[in-house]
Amino acid sequence: PTRLVPKKDYICVQSTKTYSSTPMLNKQWDEDSLNEVINFLKDRYALVQLGTLEEPRLPNTIDQRNICISDTANFLANAKFFTGQVGFLMHLARAVDTRSVIIYGGREKAWQSGYSCNENLETSPSCSPCWQNNQCDYQRQCLTAISSQDLLSGVDRLEARLSQDLEIDTASLGDYSKN
């Protein structure tokens, strides 16, 4: 695709039908719900779709799927924020200090792999976290319980923090300098 940089504020989005060498259906949110969110946000922002060509093209977005990692990082670094699923783009957005709204569902928990600077949308059915890639005996209720309104509320909460300093996660490893 041609690298078209929006002239107005933009956000980066990814399809919920993410493609990877290890398919994980238990990370994939409802595409119709994402389209509802895109239709709502398109009047406020330009939307840049990141990801791979194997992922479905999203309506009302600028197609930047299948660009190199450094160009993807550049788009993320200059975006107001990113919205997508747990995975590589979430981590790349954090690496370039861009906040995100991340759909966790319940396969894993934000405290296990997330960032405090993000709005992490998760649910807590009794089967969660399951850490299963594709098998689910509960019709993926951890994902279906997250609505398009939940995502838009996450966007609102994140937008309210955009002018604040980025939250930094730290861990204390203790003092190992003593014998």
Side-chain angles (χ1 to χ4, degrees), residues 88-159:
F88 174 72
L89 290 178
M90 172 188 84
H91 296 299
L92 187 59
R94 179 60 193 93
V96 297
D97 292 340
T98 297
R99 286 185 168 96
S100 301
V101 180
I102 301 299
I103 300 162
Y104 266 85
R107 177 189 175 274
E108 63 191 273
K109 296 298 193 177
W111 67 265
Q112 296 169 308
S113 62
Y115 303 101
S116 61
C117 62
N118 292 344
E119 285 295 321
N120 300 304
L121 306 178
E122 59 186 1
T123 59
S124 297
S126 61
C127 54
S128 172
C130 68
W131 286 96
Q132 295 188 83
N133 292 346
N134 299 297
Q135 170 80 26
C136 180
D137 297 329
Y138 303 98
Q139 295 75 46
R140 296 187 178 86
Q141 63 180 275
C142 61
L143 286 168
T144 59
I146 297 173
S147 69
S148 55
Q149 186 54 55
D150 292 331
L151 181 57
L152 289 169
S153 295
V155 167
D156 290 342
R157 289 189 303 273
L158 186 108
E159 286 175 325

Side-chain angles (χ1 to χ4, degrees), residues 22 27 32 37 39 47 69 74-75 83 121 123 135 144 149-150 156 158 168 174-175 177:
T22 306
K27 284 186 178 185
D32 290 335
V37 170
N39 284 332
L47 293 108
I69 291 174
N74 187 52
F75 269 105
T83 185
L121 306 178
T123 59
Q135 170 80 26
T144 59
Q149 186 54 55
D150 292 331
D156 290 342
L158 186 108
I168 306 294
D175 184 1
S177 61

